Amino acid sequence: MSMSFKEIFKQVGESIRSLDFNTSIGVKIGIFLVVVILTVLMFPKGESIEFDYRIGSIWGGEELIAPFSFPIFKEERQYEREVQEAVRAVRPVFQRDDKIADKQIDSLRVLFGQIKATVDFELEYRERRETNRRDDDDYRARLERDSLLVEDIKGDLMVQFSSAEWEALKRMREGLTDFPVRSLQELRTTIESILRGYYRTGILSKSKQELVHDELAVRRNADEVMTPVHRFNDVSEVNTAFENALAGIFDMNDPRFEASLKIGSMFIVPNIIFNEEETERLRQIARDDVPRTIDIVLENERIISRHERITEDVKLRLDSFRRAKAERGGVINLWLQYFGKGLHVSIILLLYAVYFFSFRKKIFNDNAKLALIALIILLPVFLAYLTHAMNIDAPVEYLILVPAASMLLTIMFDSRLAFYGTVTIALLVGGIRGNDYTIMLVSVIGGALAAYTVRDIKHRTQIFRSMVFIFLGYSITIIALGLERFETTMAVMYEIMFAGANALFSPILTFGLLIFLERAWKITTDLTLLELSDFNHPLLKELSQKAPGTFHHSLVMGSLAENAAEAIGANTILARVGAYYHDIGKTEKPEYFIENQMGFKNRHDKLTPRMSSLILISHVKDGLELGKKHNLPKEILEFIPMHHGTTLISYFYNRALENKTDKDVINENDYRYPGPKPQTKETGIVMLADAVEAATRSIDDPSIAKLKATIDGIIKSRFEEGELDECELTFKDLNFIREAFFKVLVGIHHQRIKYPGQGAKDAEADKEIKEEFQPLGEDYSEKGAMPPEETPSGSVDDREK
């Protein structure tokens, strides 16, 4: 039975929701294809000549002979200038319409007829009201209706007059005004005469300020005459002239002046009309008449010789040859060329993708981070496209901010990923710039130095240190290539000036984008971690006040974790900051942890082993809730459950077994932390540092022998329990970690340590331990084959009790 559309859409929706977009291989392919397609579209059209041929440089290829005849095209900016000059030479076309004047004069006469009728009706109404003074209601109602009718008639006129102006018009109708205009008829004749004069001269539809030519092409019927602009008036000039003409007839305070000005202004309409369509047609003809070519290169004619200096004429030949090859390709060759460009870009990006798959699987499996890397790559690629499309006779290619992308990749990921990314970007940028070797080389050097300067960044302002290194990298490379190509000193200095702008803007852009990208992609950079390491952070401040013992324990752990991480090449800042926040959950019930009891009675004495274990385990959940409440990054939150992993709280488990009755059922899992086990080197280091710090602090009479035995025993314990199985720590890493722990703990306990020879007991113990640790994985590579020293039983759990 066929399915309905609703059911189909429902199944499609469920299928989409079931996809994990952050790990989907389809999304990875989509990101790859988007980058390839966008980059290919930004590649220059036509076949690229394999050498840089900037004006003044030396041709590095073989002698180039024309395989076919082709025209030499003008330089694009020169052609645009000629087109603009041709367009400016076209005079605007205006059409003279004599019917407009007649129409406006007729409308003027109609208006005066309406004014006369209105005045006559009002005079009749006034005479009737004054001569017949009846006192009945009907008569008064009729007068009121006539009064309202007069006002309605006045309101319907196209010109609105004031009361004084109406009185003046009524006086002219009655012939009671003075010379020179004594009646409405004379007023109409006067205004009409003035307006006809303006229409005979011509009123322009465009303001003279908008006209850039001194002459206009004025058409009248089938005739066209080039007429100077000054022979015409625009609307503003006519209005001013009309007002001055009336001022010569009436006093400006005379109501007849204002009434006449209102009437005449209504009929000042342009009769010289701008013909935009015809003007644009003539301009287009002028554009088309500008030749695009200046000469022709015949088949088998030499285009350029080997080692010839490139002049403006030679560059035009080379540009025209490349353009002609692209135009002769046809549709099939065009698609083949796009395929070749796509293959070119794909190879470059696939090499970078292989690096991710081989050495950065965690990033490779995170589509969000892959999308971010794609965005960072596309930024300088787009800038390369812009600099190529602008076609400016200046070394704008040095404004392609490859160093900014390198710094972003370094800060947000790591320097090795950034270096491979820099090489990838440089190859793409060089391809877009027409296989420009120069920009490839300077981009690699400038980007690599930029990545180097921020690889161990400690604060945001350190980014600006990169300015000097970027500038030096670009400058030295430009000078080297300039000497190789015999470029002039001025040309080299000009290029260095643009490189200096790049060195200035790249760190600034990096700083601005970093803040946005950190938040948008929720990536925890070293800069974010350094901000979290500030002891004024609310969580650390609360920890130091409510649980000072735990706070001190976290500080010592931070030192242990940082040194161990440095020893094995892990993220030192992440390990240290993770150690600071790993026990923040203890602020909820600090008095239940031994390091915060300060000699007071142990609260666990009155609790059952199960209840005590629940309280200890709860600090993990409390820590996660506090961390999320204060928006701690995911990378820091991982330390809270992982520093315990799934270890057993052996002290309370053993007590439960001792107190067990026949009816009791003791489940070992009830006394284990929920996990998960450490998933990264840093969380594994913090787990070991947590146990080592607690165990060594509980040693009453520390010595080198005891410290070594304790460290080695704890690493052995965690290893045998399988707590380190899911992180990336190797045997070699564990050797380096315990050596790093030992160095730090010797520094902490140096005032209490009895060195060999200070006591018979310690001397005997020291004799049993070699001067250096026995490397893990050499004499014992199996679980359980660790050195003979044993971990002090229950050291971590006793501390928590």
Side-chain angles (χ1 to χ4, degrees), residues 669-710:
N669 291 330
D670 292 339
Y671 294 86
R672 285 191 179 276
Y673 286 97
K677 296 177 181 180
Q679 303 294 308
T680 63
K681 288 185 177 183
E682 291 80 11
T683 53
I685 289 171
V686 169
M687 167 182 271
L688 297 175
D690 182 49
V692 166
E693 195 282 329
T696 56
R697 182 155 47 87
S698 65
I699 299 176
D700 292 332
D701 193 14
S703 66
I704 291 178
K706 289 181 180 180
L707 288 177
K708 288 182 177 181
T710 302

Side-chain angles (χ1 to χ4, degrees), residues 473-518:
Y474 271 76
S475 299
I476 293 172
T477 309
I478 290 171
I479 291 171
L481 294 174
L483 293 174
E484 179 186 353
R485 298 172 180 177
F486 302 103
E487 291 186 352
T488 64
T489 303
M490 287 301 298
V492 172
M493 294 303 296
Y494 194 40
E495 292 174 355
I496 290 176
M497 182 181 71
F498 278 80
N502 188 330
L504 176 65
F505 291 128
S506 286
I508 295 174
L509 180 65
T510 301
F511 179 79
L513 289 178
L514 186 61
I515 298 174
F516 166 74
L517 295 177
E518 279 181 317

Side-chain angles (χ1 to χ4, degrees), residues 177-432:
T177 56
D178 299 330
F179 181 81
V181 178
R182 290 186 290 265
S183 66
L184 288 177
Q185 179 67 24
E186 291 181 6
L187 180 61
R188 180 187 65 76
T189 303
T190 301
I191 294 175
E192 182 179 326
S193 175
I194 296 172
L195 292 179
R196 283 191 181 278
Y198 296 143
Y199 282 121
R200 280 193 298 272
T201 302
I203 304 174
L204 296 173
S205 62
K206 295 180 74 69
S207 170
K208 287 184 178 180
Q209 295 178 351
E210 300 178 47
L211 302 174
V212 295
H213 298 87
D214 295 331
E215 290 184 331
L216 307 176
V218 181
R219 295 181 178 181
R220 192 171 192 173
N221 299 324
D223 299 328
E224 180 177 295
V225 180
M226 301 301 296
T227 310
V229 175
H230 66 82
R231 292 189 180 181
F232 303 107
N233 296 313
D234 58 24
V235 173
S236 62
E237 289 177 333
V238 172
N239 281 321
T240 302
F242 182 66
E243 184 175 354
N244 292 333
L246 292 178
I249 300 173
F250 303 107
D251 185 274
M252 296 184 68
N253 295 322
D254 191 332
R256 290 177 295 175
F257 172 79
E258 289 296 334
S260 302
L261 184 60
K262 288 180 179 180
I263 294 171
S265 299
M266 289 292 299
F267 302 100
I268 297 176
V269 177
N271 65 332
I272 308 294
I273 311 299
F274 176 59
N275 192 332
E276 185 174 2
E277 181 179 349
E278 184 63 18
T279 303
E280 186 56 37
R281 187 184 70 82
L282 295 177
R283 287 173 178 170
Q284 187 59 48
I285 292 174
R287 290 190 192 97
D288 296 339
D289 288 343
V290 176
R292 287 183 172 271
T293 61
I294 54 176
D295 203 349
I296 188 171
V297 174
L298 299 177
E299 184 178 355
N300 295 322
E301 183 179 346
R302 185 176 65 237
I303 300 174
I304 187 171
S305 300
R306 181 177 174 84
H307 299 310
E308 182 179 346
R309 182 177 293 277
I310 296 176
T311 62
E312 290 186 11
D313 292 338
V314 173
K315 186 176 185 299
L316 288 178
R317 286 170 171 254
L318 291 171
D319 289 341
S320 301
F321 176 56
R322 182 169 63 179
R323 180 173 175 176
K325 290 186 73 174
E327 292 176 351
R328 288 170 63 92
V331 176
I332 296 178
N333 286 343
L334 179 63
W335 282 107
L336 288 175
Q337 188 179 63
Y338 273 119
F339 176 76
K341 291 175 182 177
L343 193 60
H344 172 193
V345 175
S346 298
I347 292 172
I348 296 173
L349 293 176
L350 279 173
L351 290 175
Y352 198 30
V354 168
Y355 164 74
F356 280 109
F357 182 77
S358 302
F359 303 104
R360 291 291 187 273
K361 285 190 176 180
K362 189 173 181 179
I363 296 177
F364 182 80
N365 291 330
D366 190 335
N367 290 336
K369 290 183 178 178
L370 290 179
L372 173 59
I373 293 171
L375 182 64
I376 294 174
I377 290 174
L378 287 174
L379 171 65
V381 167
F382 179 67
L383 291 176
Y385 165 74
L386 288 181
T387 59
H388 185 75
M390 286 190 295
N391 196 24
I392 297 175
D393 189 16
V396 291
E397 62 269 20
Y398 294 111
L399 295 178
I400 303 171
L401 304 180
V402 175
S406 302
M407 287 188 286
L408 285 171
L409 290 173
T410 303
I411 295 171
M412 305 192 79
F413 299 100
D414 59 67
S415 57
R416 185 175 298 180
L417 182 149
F419 177 74
Y420 287 114
T422 300
V423 174
T424 300
I425 293 170
L427 292 173
L428 295 176
V429 165
I432 289 176

Side-chain angles (χ1 to χ4, degrees), residues 74 109 132 149 159 296 363 450 595 616 629:
K74 295 178 181 177
R109 292 173 178 174
N132 192 356
L149 182 59
V159 181
I296 188 171
I363 296 177
E595 68 268 24
L616 296 184
K629 180 180 178 182

Side-chain angles (χ1 to χ4, degrees), residues 586-600:
K586 292 183 179 180
T587 56
E588 296 297 310
K589 301 180 184 70
E591 66 277 6
Y592 284 92
F593 299 90
I594 190 68
E595 68 268 24
N596 300 314
Q597 290 180 0
M598 306 298 180
F600 295 106

Side-chain angles (χ1 to χ4, degrees), residues 631-759:
N631 297 317
L632 289 184
K634 179 176 68 71
E635 290 80 359
I636 299 300
L637 291 175
E638 289 177 349
F639 284 87
I640 297 173
M642 290 183 189
H643 82 277
H644 282 301
T646 59
T647 54
L648 179 68
I649 307 176
S650 58
Y651 179 82
F652 291 111
Y653 177 67
N654 292 331
R655 272 185 56 186
L657 291 177
E658 293 172 2
N659 300 333
K660 179 177 178 295
T661 64
D662 295 337
K663 296 181 180 180
D664 293 335
V665 177
I666 307 299
N667 187 350
E668 182 180 310
N669 291 330
D670 292 339
Y671 294 86
R672 285 191 179 276
Y673 286 97
K677 296 177 181 180
Q679 303 294 308
T680 63
K681 288 185 177 183
E682 291 80 11
T683 53
I685 289 171
V686 169
M687 167 182 271
L688 297 175
D690 182 49
V692 166
E693 195 282 329
T696 56
R697 182 155 47 87
S698 65
I699 299 176
D700 292 332
D701 193 14
S703 66
I704 291 178
K706 289 181 180 180
L707 288 177
K708 288 182 177 181
T710 302
I711 295 170
D712 210 34
I714 286 177
I715 294 177
K716 171 186 174 182
S717 173
R718 292 293 181 263
F719 177 74
E720 289 180 344
E721 291 169 359
E723 294 296 327
L724 304 177
D725 290 351
E726 298 179 14
C727 64
E728 300 171 350
L729 292 176
T730 64
F731 283 114
K732 185 177 180 181
D733 291 336
L734 292 177
N735 283 320
F736 286 132
I737 289 170
R738 63 179 182 172
E739 289 171 7
F741 283 173
F742 177 73
K743 291 177 183 178
V744 174
L745 290 172
V746 167
I748 294 173
H749 297 284
H750 71 282
Q751 293 180 342
R752 301 172 56 201
I753 290 177
K754 291 182 180 180
Y755 289 91
Q758 291 181 334

